[in-house]
Amino acid sequence: MENSTEAQKPQNTKKNKKKGATLDTFYGAKIQNTEQIEDNIKENAPKPSKGNGNSPQTYEEFESEMTKKMEAFWEEKWEIMQKKFTHLQKQFDQTVKENKALKARIRQLEDNDRVKEQESIKQSQNTKKLEENIKYLTDKVIDLENRGRRENLRIIGLPEKPEINTKLDMVIQDIIKENCPEILEQGGNTATDRAHRTPSTLNPQKTTPRNVIAKFQSYQTKEKILQEARKRQFRYKGMPIRVTQDLASSTLNDRKAWNMIFRKARELGLQPRISYPAKLTIYFQGKVWAFNKIEDFQLFAKKRPELCGKFDTENQRARNT
């Protein structure tokens, strides 16, 4: 009977109890939960004596001892947590300080960038003013140079021969006699102060003769010769030459830029002229039109059906090449 009774006794309930999940302490330290600790206390508690029965005194001592151990255990864990917390607090404070320093640095950099941007704007404005002043002064110098050449004529195509180069003054008088003798008949002063080739040295690689620059004593005589040269082709001993106003090299380059348009305008009967310093004028539909830039003329031509497509300088250059 006793055996059957013992067999009917339920098995150890401790095995059926669902043990609580472990607690993760700070930085992964693991401790048992309260339920597990109570089970350990019961398992390790002193068994009651068969002869004398339970011993309350002994159990209380054991319970007190386990309580002290638990307190010591938790105090140790608490101290570890306190140290970790203090370390983290220091790291957090240091991070806050660094964050504040970085924010201050960013503000400083933004202020510096703003100042540099303002300085850059001022510098750009100053640069623009300087460029405008340089252009004004450059144009002024070119204008003064052109005015200093107002008594000069440039003769193009005069043969490069020693007998001509040594007697340029006499050759110029012969050109006047051959092409506009009426100036001599009217008693005009055709004397020249000097005449020379330009450039001063001969380039053997060039086949064309150098230009001749002649400075006349009388501006009025020079203008009369220039007006006659615009009306007809000048010649020297039967050879064609060209007589134009002597100008600064930059002004001459600006005038050369009109060459293709000038020739086409002449073919169309537009009576083109290049006026000072490098302005193109044409006679179209009973009016005189003036253009300072090639772009302005091209825009003008595109809007006129009679001229549209006839002054495409890029296509003309492509055909020539």
Side-chain angles (χ1 to χ4, degrees):
M1 293 293 293
E2 291 178 358
N3 294 335
S4 61
T5 304
E6 290 177 358
Q8 292 177 357
K9 287 182 179 179
Q11 295 180 355
N12 191 357
T13 57
K14 290 185 285 185
K15 295 182 180 179
N16 295 330
K17 284 184 179 179
K18 185 177 180 182
K19 293 185 178 181
T22 58
L23 297 177
D24 292 336
T25 60
F26 212 80
Y27 283 86
K30 296 182 179 180
I31 61 171
Q32 294 175 327
N33 58 23
T34 308
E35 192 174 339
Q36 287 177 310
I37 294 172
E38 290 177 355
D39 291 342
N40 290 335
I41 293 173
K42 291 180 181 180
E43 288 178 356
N44 297 324
K47 301 296 186 293
S49 174
K50 292 182 180 180
N52 299 326
N54 292 334
S55 177
Q57 186 72 24
T58 304
Y59 184 81
E60 290 174 357
E61 291 175 355
F62 174 78
E63 188 177 11
S64 176
E65 182 181 355
M66 293 302 296
T67 302
K68 290 179 181 180
K69 288 182 179 181
M70 289 180 63
E71 290 176 353
F73 173 81
W74 282 112
E75 286 178 359
E76 181 182 358
K77 295 299 180 184
W78 178 252
E79 289 178 0
I80 294 173
M81 292 175 66
Q82 284 288 97
K83 290 179 182 179
K84 297 292 184 181
F85 179 78
T86 303
H87 178 68
L88 280 178
Q89 186 66 38
K90 290 180 180 179
Q91 287 184 339
F92 177 76
D93 294 341
Q94 183 66 23
T95 303
V96 170
K97 290 180 181 179
E98 292 176 355
N99 190 28
K100 289 181 179 179
L102 287 173
K103 286 183 179 179
R105 180 63 177 165
I106 290 172
R107 283 195 295 270
Q108 183 180 2
L109 290 173
E110 289 176 349
D111 293 339
N112 293 339
D113 187 61
R114 195 176 297 110
V115 172
K116 288 181 180 179
E117 186 177 357
Q118 293 175 354
E119 291 177 354
S120 177
I121 293 173
K122 290 181 181 179
Q123 191 172 7
S124 298
Q125 293 174 349
N126 293 334
T127 303
K128 187 177 180 180
K129 289 180 181 179
L130 287 174
E131 289 176 351
E132 292 175 353
N133 291 337
I134 290 172
K135 186 179 183 305
Y136 170 77
L137 292 174
T138 302
D139 293 342
K140 192 71 174 177
V141 169
I142 294 172
D143 182 65
L144 290 173
E145 184 179 356
N146 287 329
R147 292 181 185 280
R149 297 169 181 253
R150 63 196 303 265
E151 290 88 8
N152 295 358
L153 283 178
R154 182 179 291 262
I155 303 171
I156 304 170
L158 196 63
E160 190 87 39
K161 295 180 180 180
E163 59 270 21
I164 294 178
N165 293 342
T166 56
K167 300 178 181 180
L168 286 175
D169 291 335
M170 296 177 61
V171 170
I172 292 170
Q173 297 300 321
D174 292 339
I175 291 173
I176 296 173
K177 290 178 184 178
E178 183 176 351
N179 295 278
C180 44
E182 63 275 7
I183 296 177
L184 295 173
E185 295 172 358
Q186 294 173 1
N189 181 13
T190 60
T192 57
D193 285 337
R194 59 182 179 273
H196 64 276
R197 293 276 186 177
T198 182
S200 58
T201 57
L202 178 63
N203 186 355
Q205 296 180 352
K206 285 191 174 183
T207 58
T208 57
R210 293 174 293 170
N211 296 346
V212 174
I213 305 298
K215 180 177 176 60
F216 287 81
Q217 294 180 355
S218 171
Y219 171 75
Q220 289 78 11
T221 301
K222 174 240 127 182
E223 281 294 310
K224 289 179 181 179
I225 297 171
L226 186 61
Q227 289 175 5
E228 294 297 325
R230 288 169 178 167
K231 294 177 182 177
R232 61 182 179 272
Q233 176 74 60
F234 269 34
R235 296 181 177 273
Y236 173 68
K237 295 182 178 181
M239 293 179 296
I241 59 173
R242 190 156 61 94
V243 178
T244 64
Q245 173 69 47
D246 180 39
L247 297 168
S249 58
S250 59
T251 306
L252 289 175
N253 291 332
D254 292 340
R255 289 192 169 200
K256 285 179 181 178
W258 290 105
N259 283 349
M260 298 182 71
I261 294 176
F262 186 90
R263 288 195 294 268
K264 190 64 179 177
R266 178 179 288 175
E267 292 176 4
L268 297 174
L270 299 179
Q271 304 177 19
R273 288 189 61 184
I274 301 295
S275 57
Y276 182 82
K279 182 168 62 175
L280 174 70
T281 59
I282 62 172
Y283 186 78
F284 179 70
Q285 293 181 347
K287 295 181 181 179
V288 176
W289 304 83
F291 307 94
N292 291 315
K293 297 180 180 180
I294 295 177
E295 294 79 7
D296 296 338
F297 176 81
Q298 289 177 337
L299 184 62
F300 171 84
K302 285 180 181 179
K303 294 180 179 179
R304 271 70 182 177
E306 301 90 338
L307 305 177
C308 184
K310 296 181 180 179
F311 292 92
D312 193 345
T313 56
E314 293 183 359
N315 291 336
Q316 290 177 8
R317 289 194 184 115
R319 292 193 204 100
N320 293 335
T321 55

